[in-house]
Amino acid sequence: MPHAVLNCPLLHDLDIASCHKLSDAAIRSAATACPLLESLDMSNCSCVSDETLRDIAQTCGNLRVLDASYCPNISLESVRLVMLTVLKLHSCEGITSASMAAIAHSYMLEVLELDNCSLLTSVSLDLPRLQSIRLVHCRKFIDLNLHCGMLSSITVSNCPLLHRINITSSALKKLVLQKQESLTTIALQCPNLLEVDLTECESLTNSICEVFSDGGGCPVLKSLVLDNCESLTLVAFCSTSLVSLSLGGCRALISLALSCRYLEQVSLDGCDHLEVASFCPVGLRSLNLGICPKMNMLHIEAPQMASLELKGCGVLSEASINCPLLTSFDASFCSQLKDDCLSATTSSCPLIESLVLMSCPSVGCDGLLSLQSLPNLTYLDLSYTFLVTLQPVYESCLQLKVLKLQACKYLTDTSLEPLYKENALPALCELDLSYGTLCQSAIEELLACCTHLSHVSLNGCINMHDLNWGFTGDQLSHIPSVSIPHGSSLGEQQLPNEQPKRLLENLNCVGCPNIKKVFIPMAQGFLLSSLNLSLSANLKEVDIACYNLCVLNLSNCCSLESLQLECPRLSSLFLQSCNIDEEAVEAAVSRCTMLETLDVRFCPKICPLNMTRLRVACPSLKRIFSSLVPS
């Protein structure tokens, strides 16, 4: 359509978008013939000129909305659109920084869109009613300066040369400026700004901290995201409003100082060069610094903190931790953590219930004696340490329920005797001695005499030999005797009148290479509900009669030949990769009337086609896992 003649004096809305053949003169004639025009869309009308816009501005005094996108010949020179509220200028090649002088006269403007204006280098506007501005894919854009009290939405993205931003607004609550690689300077006067996201603004310098600290122009800022800002090295914030801070991926960061009493969340993932950190004070309830392997100095003052994890801070040598409500403290692999630091921590954090000191070889007796300052301590992990004696633990941790001593290879064979000879740690119910070097007699005495334990782990113990609970009368005379709980459904004739009441419910002997035989009679394993003997490569014979046993794992016991079970409550039996034959399994499961799950995958002597026989032998079976039949 090359021509359009309008005589519509009451027309308010005119849309001639993408009428490519309309000439500049035709558009001018049509629009100026409608003096009451309020909305005009002339996008993709490539012939439109500034002269036409000037005539429209003079004739159509009520024009509120103008879309002149994709009009390459307009620059807004000498154009005055005073009543305009919405202006869209996408991909207008003639729009430059000089065009802002014309836009500045549109003091009623509320919405401004300048996407893909490829020659635009700067925007400086003071528009009291402007609420929204868009600047996307402006490849030469460098400087943004907005003094707009009602501005509530700013969209700036893919402006690779953007260097400076200065914004003043009382209405702005959220600012997102992701992936502005050249951005170095930000100035904000935004009294109601709540959220800022500057992810991947790689050129931001340490001075950014002043902008978001108290006095920096964002007095109520609650959330700040600076992820992958890889030029930040020294970060320090002092804020009475900040609640959430994310510095994930700031790999150059070496020093962090936060004085933000209401800070509840902080993310430091990927800050693996952080050396010095101070959180004084903060409102954090939990903190994980295990991803900072170079941390050597730490100060924390957190009145609300309940959980602190320093796992992997291997060079941490100086730590001041003042967290009066702390209940969980994990210092695994903090090899430089010494007794004086541990003592100071226990003194200032008296409510600790769970303490993990795994692989902390510098902690000694003095440090462990300081645990008497923790009356609520119930969980203690001293695995992979060089402890020779447990006497400081016996003296200091009277309420302990869980004690983990994995790979404590320097403990003497008598180190556990106080547990059953002196009634040390009377509340202890879970003990982990995996990968230790205690002798066979020490292990046997522990299992026989420490009847109050409910969970015991002996995984990988090379001195763990045959598990034989068929005690003689002489052996039983040394073990406390108590009766089986009243009301049990097991017939009295199956149990002796007097026998030890083992509270053991869960026993793990995974990967014990010297176990060849397991014998547990009904009287000795009455409460045992889970037994894991997997990866015990030399285990040949298993004879278990346990009334409460629910789970038995014999997977990868490749030498297993004999299996006898009298376990009426057994629900899961795992025999994966065992060399046992089909008849033995069939006989074993026939006496397990509640068995539901059977795993016989990769058992070379069990044919997958014969699963029906197992189901007949044990009708309660619901799931049998077997290998596929070879094609």
Side-chain angles (χ1 to χ4, degrees), residues 56-101:
I56 292 173
Q58 292 174 0
T59 304
C60 305
N62 293 322
L63 190 63
R64 300 284 194 276
V65 178
L66 174 62
D67 189 346
S69 300
Y70 302 96
C71 296
N73 297 322
I74 65 171
S75 65
L76 299 184
E77 182 181 353
S78 301
V79 177
R80 301 291 183 267
L81 295 162
V82 179
M83 301 303 292
L84 208 60
T85 59
V86 177
L87 177 59
K88 297 182 180 181
L89 298 170
H90 295 198
S91 299
C92 292
E93 297 175 5
I95 296 297
T96 65
S97 301
S99 307
M100 297 304 107

Short mmCIF file of all heavy atoms in Angstrom, two decimals, residues 56-101:
data_model
loop_
_atom_site.label_atom_id
_atom_site.label_comp_id
_atom_site.label_asym_id
_atom_site.label_seq_id
_atom_site.Cartn_x
_atom_site.Cartn_y
_atom_site.Cartn_z
N ILE A 56 4.03 15.64 13.27
CA ILE A 56 3.08 14.89 14.09
C ILE A 56 3.04 15.46 15.50
O ILE A 56 1.97 15.62 16.11
CB ILE A 56 3.45 13.39 14.12
CG1 ILE A 56 3.23 12.77 12.73
CG2 ILE A 56 2.63 12.64 15.16
CD1 ILE A 56 3.71 11.34 12.61
N ALA A 57 4.23 15.80 16.05
CA ALA A 57 4.29 16.36 17.40
C ALA A 57 3.55 17.69 17.49
O ALA A 57 2.89 17.98 18.49
CB ALA A 57 5.75 16.53 17.81
N GLN A 58 3.64 18.51 16.44
CA GLN A 58 2.97 19.82 16.45
C GLN A 58 1.46 19.68 16.28
O GLN A 58 0.68 20.44 16.85
CB GLN A 58 3.54 20.70 15.34
CG GLN A 58 4.99 21.11 15.59
CD GLN A 58 5.58 21.86 14.42
OE1 GLN A 58 4.91 22.08 13.41
NE2 GLN A 58 6.85 22.25 14.54
N THR A 59 1.04 18.68 15.47
CA THR A 59 -0.39 18.53 15.15
C THR A 59 -1.14 17.72 16.20
O THR A 59 -2.27 18.05 16.58
CB THR A 59 -0.56 17.86 13.78
OG1 THR A 59 0.15 18.61 12.80
CG2 THR A 59 -2.03 17.78 13.40
N CYS A 60 -0.52 16.64 16.67
CA CYS A 60 -1.18 15.70 17.57
C CYS A 60 -0.71 15.95 19.00
O CYS A 60 0.17 15.23 19.54
CB CYS A 60 -0.89 14.26 17.16
SG CYS A 60 -1.32 13.90 15.43
N GLY A 61 -1.25 16.96 19.61
CA GLY A 61 -0.81 17.37 20.95
C GLY A 61 -1.18 16.38 22.04
O GLY A 61 -0.63 16.46 23.15
N ASN A 62 -2.10 15.43 21.74
CA ASN A 62 -2.51 14.46 22.75
C ASN A 62 -1.81 13.10 22.60
O ASN A 62 -2.18 12.14 23.27
CB ASN A 62 -4.02 14.22 22.68
CG ASN A 62 -4.81 15.46 23.10
OD1 ASN A 62 -4.41 16.16 24.03
ND2 ASN A 62 -5.90 15.74 22.40
N LEU A 63 -0.82 13.01 21.73
CA LEU A 63 -0.17 11.73 21.47
C LEU A 63 0.51 11.22 22.75
O LEU A 63 1.38 11.87 23.33
CB LEU A 63 0.86 11.89 20.35
CG LEU A 63 1.45 10.57 19.81
CD1 LEU A 63 0.36 9.71 19.17
CD2 LEU A 63 2.58 10.85 18.81
N ARG A 64 0.08 10.02 23.18
CA ARG A 64 0.60 9.42 24.42
C ARG A 64 1.54 8.24 24.14
O ARG A 64 2.50 8.04 24.87
CB ARG A 64 -0.56 8.89 25.28
CG ARG A 64 -1.56 9.95 25.72
CD ARG A 64 -0.98 10.81 26.85
NE ARG A 64 -2.00 11.60 27.50
CZ ARG A 64 -2.44 12.78 27.08
NH1 ARG A 64 -1.91 13.29 25.95
NH2 ARG A 64 -3.35 13.45 27.72
N VAL A 65 1.24 7.46 23.10
CA VAL A 65 1.98 6.24 22.83
C VAL A 65 2.53 6.29 21.41
O VAL A 65 1.77 6.49 20.46
CB VAL A 65 1.09 4.98 23.00
CG1 VAL A 65 1.89 3.73 22.67
CG2 VAL A 65 0.51 4.91 24.40
N LEU A 66 3.86 6.12 21.28
CA LEU A 66 4.49 6.12 19.96
C LEU A 66 5.44 4.93 19.87
O LEU A 66 6.34 4.77 20.70
CB LEU A 66 5.27 7.41 19.74
CG LEU A 66 6.10 7.47 18.44
CD1 LEU A 66 5.20 7.37 17.21
CD2 LEU A 66 6.94 8.74 18.39
N ASP A 67 5.22 4.09 18.83
CA ASP A 67 6.14 2.99 18.54
C ASP A 67 6.76 3.27 17.17
O ASP A 67 6.10 3.13 16.14
CB ASP A 67 5.40 1.65 18.54
CG ASP A 67 6.36 0.47 18.45
OD1 ASP A 67 7.53 0.68 18.12
OD2 ASP A 67 5.92 -0.67 18.72
N ALA A 68 8.04 3.69 17.21
CA ALA A 68 8.76 3.98 15.97
C ALA A 68 9.93 3.01 15.80
O ALA A 68 10.96 3.35 15.21
CB ALA A 68 9.26 5.42 15.97
N SER A 69 9.77 1.80 16.29
CA SER A 69 10.82 0.80 16.19
C SER A 69 11.12 0.46 14.73
O SER A 69 10.23 0.52 13.87
CB SER A 69 10.40 -0.47 16.93
OG SER A 69 10.16 -0.20 18.30
N TYR A 70 12.39 0.09 14.48
CA TYR A 70 12.83 -0.32 13.14
C TYR A 70 12.62 0.77 12.10
O TYR A 70 12.31 0.49 10.95
CB TYR A 70 12.12 -1.61 12.72
CG TYR A 70 12.35 -2.75 13.68
CD1 TYR A 70 11.41 -3.02 14.68
CD2 TYR A 70 13.49 -3.53 13.61
CE1 TYR A 70 11.63 -4.05 15.59
CE2 TYR A 70 13.71 -4.55 14.51
CZ TYR A 70 12.77 -4.81 15.50
OH TYR A 70 12.98 -5.82 16.40
N CYS A 71 12.77 2.02 12.53
CA CYS A 71 12.72 3.15 11.61
C CYS A 71 14.13 3.74 11.57
O CYS A 71 14.50 4.56 12.43
CB CYS A 71 11.71 4.20 12.07
SG CYS A 71 10.01 3.60 12.08
N PRO A 72 14.96 3.35 10.62
CA PRO A 72 16.39 3.68 10.66
C PRO A 72 16.71 5.15 10.43
O PRO A 72 17.85 5.57 10.70
CB PRO A 72 16.97 2.81 9.54
CG PRO A 72 15.83 2.59 8.60
CD PRO A 72 14.60 2.53 9.44
N ASN A 73 15.76 5.95 9.94
CA ASN A 73 16.08 7.32 9.55
C ASN A 73 15.76 8.35 10.62
O ASN A 73 15.98 9.55 10.41
CB ASN A 73 15.33 7.70 8.27
CG ASN A 73 15.75 6.83 7.09
OD1 ASN A 73 16.93 6.50 6.96
ND2 ASN A 73 14.80 6.44 6.26
N ILE A 74 15.24 7.93 11.76
CA ILE A 74 14.86 8.92 12.77
C ILE A 74 15.95 9.04 13.83
O ILE A 74 16.60 8.06 14.21
CB ILE A 74 13.51 8.57 13.44
CG1 ILE A 74 13.61 7.26 14.23
CG2 ILE A 74 12.40 8.48 12.41
CD1 ILE A 74 12.37 6.99 15.07
N SER A 75 16.16 10.27 14.28
CA SER A 75 17.13 10.55 15.35
C SER A 75 16.50 11.39 16.45
O SER A 75 17.14 11.67 17.45
CB SER A 75 18.35 11.27 14.80
OG SER A 75 17.98 12.56 14.31
N LEU A 76 15.25 11.82 16.24
CA LEU A 76 14.48 12.68 17.15
C LEU A 76 15.05 14.10 17.25
O LEU A 76 14.77 14.83 18.20
CB LEU A 76 14.40 12.06 18.56
CG LEU A 76 13.71 10.70 18.67
CD1 LEU A 76 13.62 10.28 20.12
CD2 LEU A 76 12.33 10.72 18.06
N GLU A 77 15.84 14.50 16.26
CA GLU A 77 16.40 15.85 16.27
C GLU A 77 15.28 16.88 16.22
O GLU A 77 14.43 16.87 15.31
CB GLU A 77 17.34 16.03 15.08
CG GLU A 77 18.01 17.39 15.04
CD GLU A 77 18.92 17.56 13.83
OE1 GLU A 77 19.12 16.56 13.11
OE2 GLU A 77 19.42 18.67 13.63
N SER A 78 15.29 17.79 17.21
CA SER A 78 14.30 18.88 17.32
C SER A 78 12.87 18.38 17.46
O SER A 78 11.92 19.13 17.22
CB SER A 78 14.39 19.81 16.09
OG SER A 78 15.68 20.36 15.99
N VAL A 79 12.66 17.10 17.80
CA VAL A 79 11.32 16.56 18.00
C VAL A 79 10.92 16.76 19.46
O VAL A 79 11.67 16.40 20.38
CB VAL A 79 11.25 15.07 17.63
CG1 VAL A 79 9.87 14.51 17.92
CG2 VAL A 79 11.62 14.88 16.16
N ARG A 80 9.74 17.35 19.69
CA ARG A 80 9.26 17.58 21.05
C ARG A 80 7.90 16.91 21.22
O ARG A 80 6.89 17.40 20.71
CB ARG A 80 9.14 19.08 21.33
CG ARG A 80 10.43 19.86 21.17
CD ARG A 80 11.44 19.49 22.27
NE ARG A 80 12.66 20.28 22.18
CZ ARG A 80 13.74 19.90 21.54
NH1 ARG A 80 13.75 18.71 20.92
NH2 ARG A 80 14.81 20.65 21.48
N LEU A 81 7.89 15.77 21.93
CA LEU A 81 6.66 15.02 22.18
C LEU A 81 6.35 15.13 23.67
O LEU A 81 6.62 14.24 24.47
CB LEU A 81 6.83 13.57 21.75
CG LEU A 81 7.05 13.37 20.24
CD1 LEU A 81 7.63 11.99 19.96
CD2 LEU A 81 5.73 13.55 19.49
N VAL A 82 5.78 16.27 24.03
CA VAL A 82 5.69 16.64 25.45
C VAL A 82 4.77 15.72 26.24
O VAL A 82 5.06 15.38 27.39
CB VAL A 82 5.21 18.11 25.56
CG1 VAL A 82 5.08 18.50 27.02
CG2 VAL A 82 6.19 19.03 24.85
N MET A 83 3.66 15.28 25.64
CA MET A 83 2.67 14.49 26.38
C MET A 83 2.90 12.99 26.29
O MET A 83 2.12 12.20 26.84
CB MET A 83 1.26 14.81 25.83
CG MET A 83 0.88 16.28 25.94
SD MET A 83 0.97 16.89 27.63
CE MET A 83 -0.39 16.00 28.38
N LEU A 84 3.95 12.58 25.64
CA LEU A 84 4.21 11.16 25.42
C LEU A 84 4.43 10.43 26.74
O LEU A 84 5.15 10.90 27.62
CB LEU A 84 5.44 11.01 24.54
CG LEU A 84 5.53 9.76 23.65
CD1 LEU A 84 4.37 9.70 22.68
CD2 LEU A 84 6.86 9.75 22.92
N THR A 85 3.80 9.24 26.89
CA THR A 85 3.99 8.40 28.08
C THR A 85 4.71 7.09 27.74
O THR A 85 5.37 6.52 28.60
CB THR A 85 2.65 8.06 28.75
OG1 THR A 85 1.81 7.36 27.82
CG2 THR A 85 1.95 9.32 29.22
N VAL A 86 4.57 6.60 26.50
CA VAL A 86 5.22 5.36 26.09
C VAL A 86 5.96 5.62 24.78
O VAL A 86 5.36 6.06 23.80
CB VAL A 86 4.21 4.21 25.90
CG1 VAL A 86 4.92 2.96 25.40
CG2 VAL A 86 3.46 3.93 27.19
N LEU A 87 7.27 5.32 24.76
CA LEU A 87 8.08 5.51 23.56
C LEU A 87 8.91 4.25 23.33
O LEU A 87 9.71 3.85 24.16
CB LEU A 87 9.01 6.72 23.72
CG LEU A 87 9.98 7.00 22.56
CD1 LEU A 87 9.22 7.23 21.25
CD2 LEU A 87 10.88 8.19 22.88
N LYS A 88 8.70 3.65 22.13
CA LYS A 88 9.43 2.43 21.78
C LYS A 88 10.26 2.71 20.54
O LYS A 88 9.72 3.09 19.49
CB LYS A 88 8.46 1.28 21.52
CG LYS A 88 7.63 0.90 22.75
CD LYS A 88 6.70 -0.28 22.48
CE LYS A 88 5.89 -0.64 23.71
NZ LYS A 88 4.99 -1.81 23.45
N LEU A 89 11.59 2.48 20.67
CA LEU A 89 12.52 2.79 19.59
C LEU A 89 13.48 1.62 19.37
O LEU A 89 14.69 1.78 19.27
CB LEU A 89 13.31 4.05 19.93
CG LEU A 89 12.49 5.34 20.10
CD1 LEU A 89 13.35 6.46 20.67
CD2 LEU A 89 11.90 5.77 18.76
N HIS A 90 12.96 0.43 19.25
CA HIS A 90 13.80 -0.75 19.03
C HIS A 90 14.50 -0.66 17.67
O HIS A 90 13.88 -0.32 16.66
CB HIS A 90 12.96 -2.03 19.05
CG HIS A 90 12.33 -2.31 20.38
ND1 HIS A 90 11.85 -3.56 20.72
CD2 HIS A 90 12.09 -1.53 21.46
CE1 HIS A 90 11.34 -3.51 21.94
NE2 HIS A 90 11.46 -2.28 22.39
N SER A 91 15.77 -0.98 17.67
CA SER A 91 16.55 -1.10 16.42
C SER A 91 16.45 0.13 15.53
O SER A 91 16.31 0.03 14.31
CB SER A 91 16.07 -2.34 15.64
OG SER A 91 16.28 -3.51 16.39
N CYS A 92 16.57 1.27 16.15
CA CYS A 92 16.59 2.52 15.40
C CYS A 92 18.05 2.97 15.27
O CYS A 92 18.64 3.46 16.25
CB CYS A 92 15.75 3.59 16.10
SG CYS A 92 13.98 3.24 16.07
N GLU A 93 18.60 2.80 14.11
CA GLU A 93 20.03 3.05 13.92
C GLU A 93 20.40 4.51 14.08
O GLU A 93 21.57 4.83 14.32
CB GLU A 93 20.45 2.56 12.54
CG GLU A 93 20.27 1.05 12.37
CD GLU A 93 20.60 0.60 10.96
OE1 GLU A 93 21.05 1.43 10.16
OE2 GLU A 93 20.40 -0.60 10.66
N GLY A 94 19.43 5.41 13.95
CA GLY A 94 19.73 6.84 14.06
C GLY A 94 19.69 7.35 15.48
O GLY A 94 20.08 8.51 15.73
N ILE A 95 19.24 6.55 16.41
CA ILE A 95 19.17 6.99 17.81
C ILE A 95 20.55 6.93 18.43
O ILE A 95 21.20 5.89 18.46
CB ILE A 95 18.17 6.12 18.60
CG1 ILE A 95 16.77 6.28 18.04
CG2 ILE A 95 18.21 6.48 20.07
CD1 ILE A 95 16.21 7.69 18.16
N THR A 96 21.00 8.10 18.91
CA THR A 96 22.31 8.20 19.56
C THR A 96 22.15 8.92 20.89
O THR A 96 21.03 9.25 21.30
CB THR A 96 23.29 8.98 18.67
OG1 THR A 96 22.82 10.34 18.55
CG2 THR A 96 23.39 8.34 17.29
N SER A 97 23.26 9.19 21.52
CA SER A 97 23.21 9.92 22.79
C SER A 97 22.61 11.30 22.61
O SER A 97 21.97 11.83 23.54
CB SER A 97 24.62 10.03 23.38
OG SER A 97 25.15 8.74 23.59
N ALA A 98 22.78 11.90 21.43
CA ALA A 98 22.20 13.22 21.17
C ALA A 98 20.68 13.18 21.19
O ALA A 98 20.02 14.20 21.46
CB ALA A 98 22.70 13.76 19.82
N SER A 99 20.11 12.02 20.90
CA SER A 99 18.65 11.90 20.89
C SER A 99 18.05 12.04 22.28
O SER A 99 16.85 12.30 22.41
CB SER A 99 18.26 10.54 20.30
OG SER A 99 18.86 10.32 19.05
N MET A 100 18.87 11.85 23.32
CA MET A 100 18.34 11.93 24.67
C MET A 100 17.86 13.33 25.01
O MET A 100 16.98 13.52 25.86
CB MET A 100 19.40 11.50 25.68
CG MET A 100 19.84 10.03 25.52
SD MET A 100 18.47 8.84 25.61
CE MET A 100 18.36 8.34 23.87
N ALA A 101 18.40 14.35 24.33
CA ALA A 101 17.95 15.72 24.58
C ALA A 101 16.49 15.89 24.20
O ALA A 101 15.73 16.57 24.90
CB ALA A 101 18.82 16.70 23.78
#
